Every structure is written in C-alpha cells, then in structure tokens.
Amino acid sequence: MKIVVIGGTGLIGSKLVKRLQAKGHEVVAASPSSGVNTITGEGLAEAFAGAQVVVDLANSPSFEDKAVMEFFQKSGRNLMAAETAAGVKHHLALSVVGTDRLPESGYLRAKLAQEKIIKESGIPYTLVHSTQFFEFMFGIAQSGAQGDKVHLSPAMMQPIFSEDVADALVDFVLGVPLNKTVEIAGPEKIRMADAVGKYLRQIGDAREIVVDRQTRYFGAILDDSSLVPASAAWLGKVSYSEWVKTATPPPRAH
C-alpha cells in the first residue's frame, strides 16, 4: 500500500514510517520540511496521489487555546478535502485518552473538534486515543514548575512507551478502518506526581514535587479516571517502572 504519515518525522512518526517500510509498504513521511503543509494545503494533493491510507500525527506548534483550535480545525478540514479528492480509503488519527472527558482543556477541546471533522468527512477512519508517552515526563514537570518546586496532580495515569505506540499504530494502520475510537496505554498505572518524581530523580533534577489536586493539566483538573483508559485498551509491553531506571534528560532545544 501507499501510506502517507503526516508528522512522519516526529517522535512517533519516524518510528512508524520505519516499521511500515520494513513491511514493504510505500511510505511518505510528510511534514512542512518535506513540502507538505496541512495548514496552507501545500503539497497535499501530490502526497496523497495513489495513497490508500493517511495517518495524521501532526501537532500544533502552539498550545494556546485559540491557536490550537485554529490549527486542528484548519488542518483537519484541509486533510479531509484532499483525501476525499484523492480517494483515500482509511484515515487514522492519533489523539489523547480523556479527550472527551476534559472539556476545560483548550488543547483537548481542539482535539475533539478535529475528531468531529474526521467523523463527518465520510472517509472510513480509526481514532487512536493514547495515554501520555513516557517521553513527556519532563514536559509535564515543566507545566507544573513554580520556582524550585513542581506542582503536580496526584491523579492516576497509565503512560505508554513511544516504541509501543508505534507498534500499536502499525496494527491499526494495516487493519480495516474501525469507524470508532480505540484506546492504547502502558501496562502500569501510576500517579502523575509519582511518575514525574521518579523521572526527575533519575535525571538528577532535585526540584521538590508538591502534590496538589488543584494543579491543572493543560487547563483541566484531573481525577483518577481522567487519563486512564477503559478496560478494553491495547496495552504496551514496557512498564514505566522499568523504563524510568534508564531514562535520560530530554535533548536540549537548539
């Protein structure tokens, strides 16, 4: 098959592209740097010519409420129009467990708007809701940083390793469109404050963790069910407890 991966050079996209190519598929790793821009529409028609499947892993450069809503709505509409014109048979998008449960979050409201565009497009689809990636722990810490302390929710989460995310996506990309939402998660539940605390200690970050139920996560107050999938989720193999033992600091931004 010809498969186009929007965001094909990112953390998950680059892993997915390699896995699909190894199985013999023609894969286009599409991104603005390769001349494919979902906001302007540049390069979409050329990339989608002859494609059977489009995988959307694009993320907004800004998480500010208005900007992120504009990004996902404009990107979603442009993708659906170009896919309809090209006769694409399956659209798969990666989203977030809890998207439909946390309307206070501007980011998740935008993801929900993206999903609505997909569902109403008429193109067969699969929506994959993932829990937070292990690699997001430093970003979660920074979102709660106040001076030399890090304020974090004690809510349960069930984070997943990026390699397991890519494995799951291969299964769904090569399967039939489900026309519904499926959930993927890691094998282990852990409280957000504990998960981030273990990561910070592992990388030698001595900031104090302050456990605070009122700390918001992307604008939302969490409870123990907010970020945890239903019982029928696809589960990864790698546990957070094992991964964090060898975790390294995030790469410095250039």
Side-chain angles (χ1 to χ4, degrees):
M1 287 195 295
K2 179 180 176 183
I3 302 165
V4 180
V5 181
I6 303 292
T9 56
L11 173 67
I12 304 299
S14 56
K15 299 178 192 299
L16 177 61
V17 166
K18 285 178 187 169
R19 283 162 168 77
L20 293 171
Q21 286 173 334
K23 289 180 176 290
H25 299 284
E26 178 190 351
V27 187
V28 177
S31 67
S33 61
S34 70
V36 180
N37 189 313
T38 63
I39 298 301
T40 65
E42 177 195 2
L44 289 179
E46 295 82 357
F48 292 169
Q52 284 87 22
V53 183
V54 172
V55 184
D56 184 10
L57 306 178
N59 208 352
S60 173
S62 167
F63 282 16
E64 186 273 322
D65 283 5
K66 186 168 181 282
V68 75
M69 180 64 79
E70 287 177 356
F71 176 89
F72 281 120
Q73 287 189 320
K74 187 150 197 175
S75 177
R77 291 188 184 112
N78 285 342
L79 284 172
M80 294 301 108
E83 288 176 41
T84 299
V88 169
K89 299 291 189 285
H90 186 186
H91 178 92
L92 185 145
L94 184 62
S95 193
V96 186
V97 164
T99 291
D100 49 348
R101 297 194 288 268
L102 297 170
E104 321 91 276
S105 167
Y107 182 81
L108 295 182
R109 283 198 304 274
K111 291 297 286 182
L112 207 57
Q114 175 195 33
E115 293 181 17
K116 185 171 186 283
I117 291 167
I118 293 166
K119 290 174 181 177
E120 293 176 351
S121 70
I123 297 171
Y125 69 90
T126 303
L127 295 174
V128 180
H129 278 198
S130 174
T131 55
Q132 288 64 38
F133 309 153
F134 293 170
E135 292 87 350
F136 283 0
M137 290 302 153
F138 190 78
I140 294 173
Q142 293 307 94
S143 73
Q146 296 181 29
D148 59 355
K149 294 184 170 74
V150 178
H151 290 248
L152 293 167
S153 169
M156 279 293 182
M157 64 190 307
Q158 198 169 331
I160 184 170
F161 189 28
S162 60
E163 300 286 347
D164 284 338
V165 175
D167 286 343
L169 289 178
V170 169
D171 291 347
F172 293 121
V173 168
L174 299 182
V176 296
L178 300 176
N179 293 313
K180 66 176 186 179
T181 299
V182 292
E183 295 183 316
I184 65 174
E188 175 186 36
K189 290 182 184 177
I190 185 171
R191 296 197 177 278
M192 180 180 284
D194 293 341
V196 175
K198 286 182 178 187
Y199 174 77
L200 292 183
R201 285 194 294 275
Q202 166 64 24
I203 66 168
D205 188 324
R207 284 178 292 175
E208 177 188 348
I209 302 288
V210 178
V211 180
D212 180 359
R213 290 193 177 277
Q214 298 308 306
T215 296
R216 293 178 180 271
Y217 180 73
F218 288 104
I221 298 287
L222 304 177
D223 63 32
D224 282 349
S225 65
S226 300
L227 302 179
V228 175
S231 57
W234 184 103
L235 297 182
K237 297 183 179 69
V238 180
S239 74
Y240 185 75
S241 299
E242 286 304 308
W243 175 84
V244 78
K245 290 176 185 173
T246 56
T248 55
R252 291 184 179 277
H254 295 297

